């Protein structure tokens, strides 16, 4: 589906044409809510966030990765029906990320559906190794529940194409991300029992990752997926098309009217939608996978730059850039993700926000930054007095205000049950130490799992799912 309403001349004025602009930024952006939503085994963020080269060569297609990134070093062109590694027949697209496209394929040897992640030719290939280490550890089999919430790498292979050599790996497919489920809903809420179970599983998954010595580095709802039900493999490709619709193929058009280079697909393919509105997800369906380990790293590495979306990015990545990120950096992003699972909107809001805007949100909600950060924040006088009072607004939105506006009132308006006072207090008691400004003061995953809300409300809901498996 081509973006309508833009003439070629207007597109040219916005994006002057240049040769292949394969500079893919790993920095993600928050997307506007849309009824068009996708399922994938990786982040659904597009590779246009903070893109240093926003030039377009082709007509943009709605819901499709930027065609400009089909160039040397970039994506590999794939069409429905392609056959990989002698066994995987491409049935549909699942989605795309900054460094990959993800495809639903039929494994003709095992007669089941799989997700095939085809990486860009210049991408870092460490993700498959990290996942293999986490899901197939050298040590004896672990009984940690969180291991079940990570996608196992079923196979790996390489494609040699016109844009380079592409590492591919195969996992089980998933229905949709939690972010996409919300984007497919006007309510943008999960039922309370589902929100509890989703949160419990996410904390267990991160606890397992941390216990194995890794930091995920990119925690947000776009990287938390719902598993497909066991019955999914019983659908033939024809039945799948009948149930979910056949793939939509949009012709790729060069803005100069030129022929397409050999590394560019003739058609863009919109992803399949296997999900449903967030409020309709039932407890038995609420089984998750934590995915997209492209930003993950070992705790023995020194990594300083965070590529987590700004709304979930820990503040130390800005104010302590010379200190390596740590397990605590994941905890801040985990807390942001938990809030968004429970609430209708993120705790810190800001579509295409700047770092200064997000810092203002942090202070508005949580209070004054540590003194050395507070004094070093150049934009502070434009936003707050020295003692933390806002300079431009009559009212600030406190933690309690945001909980009422984003959690309780939206539920009340659509007739959903509310969190009672006891449970609300327990949620606050768990989240507040996760949002400590100083990383060393934040909770660990073990402490989160031992919190009252996890023990009394969240983990019991997950246990109901386990008993039904």
């Amino acid at each position: 589906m081509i973006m309508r309403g833009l003439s070629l001349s207007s597109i040219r004025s916005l994006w002057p044409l240049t040769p292949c602009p394969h500079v893919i930024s790993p920095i993600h952006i928050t997307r506007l809510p849309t009824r068009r939503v996708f399922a994938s085994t990786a982040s659904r963020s597009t590779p246009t966030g903070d893109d240093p080269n926003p030039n377009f060569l082709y007509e943009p297609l709605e819901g499709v990765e930027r065609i400009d990134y089909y160039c040397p070093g970039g994506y590999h062109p794939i069409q429905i029906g392609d056959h990989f590694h002698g066994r995987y027949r491409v049935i549909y697209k699942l989605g795309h990320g900054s460094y990959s496209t993800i495809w639903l394929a039929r494994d003709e040897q095992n007669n089941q559906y799989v997700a095939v992640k085809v990486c860009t030719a210049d991408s870092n290939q460490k993700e498959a190794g990290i996942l293999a280490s986490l899901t197939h550890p050298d040590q004896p089999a672990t009984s940690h529940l969180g291991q079940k919430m990570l996608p196992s790498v079923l196979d790996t292979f390489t494609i040699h194409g016109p844009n380079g050599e592409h590492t591919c790996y195969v996992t089980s497919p998933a229905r949709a991300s939690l972010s996409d489920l919300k984007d497919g809903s006007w309510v943008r809420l999960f039922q309370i029992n589902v929100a509890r179970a989703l949160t419990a599983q996410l904390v267990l998954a991160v606890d397992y990752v941390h216990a194995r010595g890794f930091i995920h580095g990119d925690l947000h709802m776009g990287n938390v997926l719902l598993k497909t039900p066991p019955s999914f493999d019983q659908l033939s490709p024809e039945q799948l098309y009948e149930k979910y619709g056949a793939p939509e193929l949009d012709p790729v058009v060069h803005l100069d009217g030129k022929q397409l280079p050999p590394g560019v697909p003739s058609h863009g393919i919109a992803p399949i939608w296997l999900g449903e509105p967030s409020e309709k997800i039932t407890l038995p369906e609420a089984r998750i996978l934590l995915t997209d380990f492209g930003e993950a790293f070992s705790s023995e590495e020194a990594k300083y730059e965070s590529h987590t979306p700004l709304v979930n990015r820990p503040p130390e990545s800005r104010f302590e850039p010379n200190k390596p990120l740590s397990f605590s950096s994941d905890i801040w992003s985990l807390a942001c993700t938990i809030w968004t699972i429970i609430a209708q909107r993120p705790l810190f809001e800001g579509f295409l926000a700047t770092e200064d805007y997000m810092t203002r949100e942090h202070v508005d909600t949580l209070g004054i930054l540590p003194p050395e950060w507070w004094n070093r924040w150049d934009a502070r006088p434009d936003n707050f007095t020295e003692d933390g009072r806002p300079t431009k607004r009559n009212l600030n939105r406190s933690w309690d205000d945001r909980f009422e506006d984003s959690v309780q009132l939206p539920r009340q308006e659509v007739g959903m049950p509310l969190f009672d006072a006891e449970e609300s207090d327990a949620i606050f008691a768990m989240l507040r130490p996760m949002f400590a400004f100083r990383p060393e003061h934040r909770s660990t995953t073990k402490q989160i799992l031992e919190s009252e809300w996890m023990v009394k409300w969240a983990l019991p809901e997950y246990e109901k799912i386990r008993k039904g498996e």
Side-chain angles (χ1 to χ4, degrees), residues 298-332:
S298 167
S299 60
E300 297 178 358
E301 299 177 44
K303 183 175 180 179
Y304 299 90
E305 186 178 2
S306 173
H307 293 147
T308 308
L310 263 178
V311 292
N312 282 26
R313 191 175 301 172
E316 63 269 22
S317 66
R318 179 185 190 188
F319 290 103
E320 295 184 345
N322 296 322
K323 291 185 179 180
L325 300 172
S326 65
F327 297 116
S328 298
S329 303
D330 265 356
I331 298 299
W332 178 282

Side-chain angles (χ1 to χ4, degrees), residues 129-196:
I130 290 175
L131 271 178
S133 175
L134 287 169
T135 57
H136 303 289
D138 295 332
Q139 62 191 52
T142 176
S143 60
H144 197 296
L145 294 174
Q147 186 176 356
K148 299 179 180 179
M149 295 145 202
L150 273 60
S152 295
V153 177
L154 306 175
D155 194 8
T156 59
F157 58 95
T158 300
I159 294 176
H160 301 275
N163 294 328
E165 188 172 289
H166 306 263
T167 297
C168 308
Y169 62 94
V170 180
T171 66
S172 297
R175 291 181 62 188
S177 74
L178 302 191
S179 177
D180 291 341
L181 297 175
K182 283 199 169 191
D183 284 351
S185 166
W186 299 115
V187 175
R188 300 181 65 81
L189 289 166
F190 293 104
Q191 300 292 340
I192 282 184
N193 62 340
V194 171
R196 292 169 182 154

Side-chain angles (χ1 to χ4, degrees), residues 29-42:
I29 64 172
T30 305
R31 297 179 302 152
L32 283 173
T34 174
R35 293 292 292 177
R36 185 62 181 275
V37 277
F38 321 121
S40 169
T41 59

Side-chain angles (χ1 to χ4, degrees), residues 4-173:
R4 308 299 180 188
L6 288 178
S7 66
L8 291 187
S9 60
S10 64
I11 292 176
R12 291 176 196 275
S13 68
L14 289 171
W15 303 299
L17 302 181
T18 63
C20 177
H22 182 59
V23 184
I24 301 182
S25 167
I27 300 175
H28 306 302
I29 64 172
T30 305
R31 297 179 302 152
L32 283 173
T34 174
R35 293 292 292 177
R36 185 62 181 275
V37 277
F38 321 121
S40 169
T41 59
S43 167
R44 248 68 53 204
S45 59
T46 64
T48 55
D50 294 347
D51 190 343
N53 192 338
N55 304 303
F56 279 66
L57 295 174
Y58 307 92
E59 288 192 24
L61 300 176
E62 181 186 347
V64 176
E65 66 277 7
R66 268 189 60 174
I67 303 301
D68 301 78
Y69 296 145
Y70 284 95
C71 59
Y75 294 131
H76 176 67
I78 296 171
Q79 296 293 345
I80 303 301
D82 285 354
H83 202 248
F84 294 145
H85 205 43
R87 61 187 292 185
Y88 305 114
R89 179 75 64 183
V90 176
I91 303 298
Y92 224 128
K93 179 187 279 182
L94 285 172
H96 67 275
S98 298
Y99 294 102
S100 65
T101 54
I102 306 94
W103 301 84
L104 181 66
R106 189 73 175 176
D107 181 350
E108 296 176 340
Q109 287 188 16
N110 294 330
N111 199 31
Q112 64 185 23
Y113 288 104
V114 294
V116 180
K117 185 169 185 175
V118 182
C119 299
T120 57
D122 67 356
S123 63
N124 188 322
Q125 305 305 324
K126 68 176 183 177
E127 180 179 13
I130 290 175
L131 271 178
S133 175
L134 287 169
T135 57
H136 303 289
D138 295 332
Q139 62 191 52
T142 176
S143 60
H144 197 296
L145 294 174
Q147 186 176 356
K148 299 179 180 179
M149 295 145 202
L150 273 60
S152 295
V153 177
L154 306 175
D155 194 8
T156 59
F157 58 95
T158 300
I159 294 176
H160 301 275
N163 294 328
E165 188 172 289
H166 306 263
T167 297
C168 308
Y169 62 94
V170 180
T171 66
S172 297

